[in-house]
Amino acid sequence: MQQVFTKAMARNIFLGGAVFFLAIYLALTYDTWQRIPIRDHADQMTPAVLRGKYLLDTNDCIGCHTINGEGAYFAPELGNVYKRRGPDFIKAWIQSQPTGVPGRRQMPNFHFTPDQLNDLVAYLQWLSNIDTNNWPPNIQG
Amino acid sequence: MKYQSQAVAKPYFIAALALFVGQIVFGLIAGLQYLYGTFLFPELPFDVAHMSHTNLLIVWLLMAFMGAAYFIVPEEAQTELYSPKLALLTFWVFLTAGALTIAAYLFVPYAHLAAITGNAVLPTMGRGYLEQPLPTKIGIVLVALSLLFNVTMTLIKGRKTSINLILVGSLWGLALLFLPAFYFPQDTVKASFGWWWIVHGWVEGDWELILGALLGFILIKMTGVDREIVEKWIYIIVAMTLVSGIVGIGHHYYYTGAPSYWIWLGSIFSALEPLPFMLLIAFSFKMLLARRREHPNKAAMLWAMGTPIMAFLGAGLWGFMITLAPAQYYMHGTNFTAAHGHLAFFGAYAMVSLAIISYAMPLLRGRVANSAAAQRWEMAGFWIMVLSMIGIALALTGAGIVTVVLQRAAADPMPFMQVQDKERVFFWLRELAGVGFFVGLLVYLRSFFISGEYEYAGEMKRALAT
Ligand code: HEM
Ligand code: HEM
Ligand SMILES: [Fe+2]
């Protein structure tokens, strides 16, 4: 056994395996990169959508919420919230935070301007149209 | 301790443990906010507790890995560290940057922090685990460069063992995989796709190499088994890691906007990811059985044997549970994920860090092993932390099941917040287990304050008398 399978062979499997699968992964990533803009309608990423995205990032929304299942599990999914609640509810909700209901989980007030609220909703609308292979299973996210 | 310069590992290990305490305190706060949402609000919103918790985790693990590198690389290379002064300077830079960053999270609103740190120029903030402002991220790169320079120069001038090559190579990998943190595409799907290069690339790729190298080193030292055998095992294990784990990243691409072929690729390859963890168990126990000496540091041996088992439970078993696409369709982004994340991070990376600390700290304090009394405290800490973490994982799994049944798979799905209400009992159990974990951590830390070294003669007499 010792002579049949040496450390050098094990090392070569390691290096060869790493290089081989990395090459495959890079090729797949290249292909994925071409397809993503179609699946997520990148042509609809208007300046308002991008401003809205920046607001979500710089207020750490995923520190409590998930977007397409990624983030924290403290608060509801945002990837499909546009479809669940609609633009008017979302704006009113954000403006009325925090609820201050004793014991209930609280969301901060971010003091967004009306323009910023429009941008935010534009981004959430764009998010809700991404082809995510039919995830989440239902509107509740 | 064979080389003077290995002593620079000590401040790294001590700081790692201090930051670990901080991590758990924020975890307990976040856990309580799950139950009492108004707790510490608005002074400390959940997201701030959450980012402090996860970032402290990453920082203390990096501290421990760096300490391990400064301890192991000279010993394996059989030469002094290239520059102990640089290593010490780097320590203070890293600790200061880490402390300032956490202070900024706590005292500066996140959007304001983004505004004053140049996030508009090069956006990097607002992604999980990568919440740090730009200056901190640049600091991390500088610290990594300093570490890499130091250990690589040491390696070059000394003996090149396989353990050392894997360790230094994986530290390079760790640093390279952090660079995508500076690439935050505006397209959310691309951003998510690339975020996993770092997160999955670390925990299911590169860090498994670090884990293998650390465990291999500890077992060579403690069991006296032939290095050739240990190193061959480690190569096989890390080969399995990359063969399964590189394309296995596809298990994060099912439902986030990436093309559908990832459903097949991700499921098939990630289903193989538990294999290296199984091999790790087989390897460790084989080495234990083949040991040529009884090392007096029983506590370190316990950590070293516990690591592969807990890593397999958390990464292998709990990971497998959520990895196949049809299962993840219902479990994605629920507390199933958090259960897995906790058990895997603790079982693999926290425990291997505590294992190397357990092995190295007595040596750094000038003895082969701590007194039997100190080791009893340490081993009690081990069991309380391990069992509490299993409790945390089970409680979060319970919460995950409720979400799947009531919200994800129900014919008449219930809204998120209502479902959360139904899960209160599990969040209580998580918090109680969390308090248990904290107690275990304090018991563990207590062991450091019991002085004295292992007394062979006394222990022998006691063993014969019973
Ligand atoms: C007292 C013990 C602990 C408590 C109460 C606790 C609590 C929490 C809470 C509330 C979250 C946020 C979950 C969410 O996103 O909604 C979290 C996240 C996390 N914690 Fe802990 N934690 C504890 C210990 C640990 C330990 C020991 C580790 C690892 C060694 C750890 C690693 C993590 C990780 C990786 C996440 C992010 C998980 C994810 O996003 O899926 N925690 N923890
Ligand atoms: C020690 C190794 C591992 C660690 C530390 C780890 C940690 C984590 C963490 C923290 C997350 C949550 C990331 C986030 O969204 O915040 C996660 C997600 C995930 N992990 Fe692991 N993991 C490990 C190994 C594995 C393995 C071996 C598998 C598969 C067998 C696996 C399968 C998954 C899957 C499928 C998800 C995504 C869950 C979802 O869609 O919500 N992990 N892991
Ligand atoms: Fe993964």
Side-chain angles (χ1 to χ4, degrees), chain A residues 7 31 40 123 133-134 141, chain B residues 187-188 231 254 261 329 407:
Chain A
K7 186 171 91 180
D31 181 73
D40 69 8
Y123 175 61
N133 293 327
N134 281 321
Chain B
D187 184 320
T188 300
E231 291 181 337
Y254 305 153
Y261 52 72
Y329 188 65
Q407 183 187 325

Side-chain angles (χ1 to χ4, degrees), chain B residues 196 200 203-204 248-249 251-252 273:
Chain B
W196 288 108
H200 175 102
V203 301
E204 286 158 80
I249 195 175
H251 64 182
H252 304 295
E273 284 183 36

Side-chain angles (χ1 to χ4, degrees), chain B residues 84 129 168 184 225 237 241 259 312 320 344 367 375 424 432 443 459:
Chain B
Y129 309 100
V168 175
F184 190 1
V225 170
I237 290 168
T241 295
F312 173 72
F320 187 80
R367 47 191 181 235
Q375 288 196 39
R424 284 183 78 83
L432 286 178
V443 167
E459 289 308 315

Side-chain angles (χ1 to χ4, degrees), chain A residues 5 7 25 31-32 39-40 50 53-54 57-58 60 68-70 73 103 105 123 133-135 138 140-141, chain B residues 34 37-38 47 111 119 162 187-188 192 196-197 231-232 253-254 257 260-262 329 332 407-408 420:
Chain A
F5 191 76
K7 186 171 91 180
Y25 179 72
D31 181 73
T32 294
R39 294 177 62 95
D40 69 8
L50 295 181
K53 178 199 183 303
Y54 192 76
D57 292 337
T58 49
D60 194 37
N68 292 335
E70 292 171 0
Y73 320 120
R105 293 182 196 169
Y123 175 61
N133 293 327
N134 281 321
W135 194 91
N138 62 63
Q140 297 301 348
Chain B
Y34 253 80
T38 37
D47 73 298
N119 192 61
S162 298
D187 184 320
T188 300
S192 150
W196 288 108
W197 296 333
E231 291 181 337
K232 184 161 70 181
Y253 299 160
Y254 305 153
S260 309
Y261 52 72
W262 288 108
Y329 188 65
H332 178 49
Q407 183 187 325
R408 289 282 170 81
Q420 295 295 303

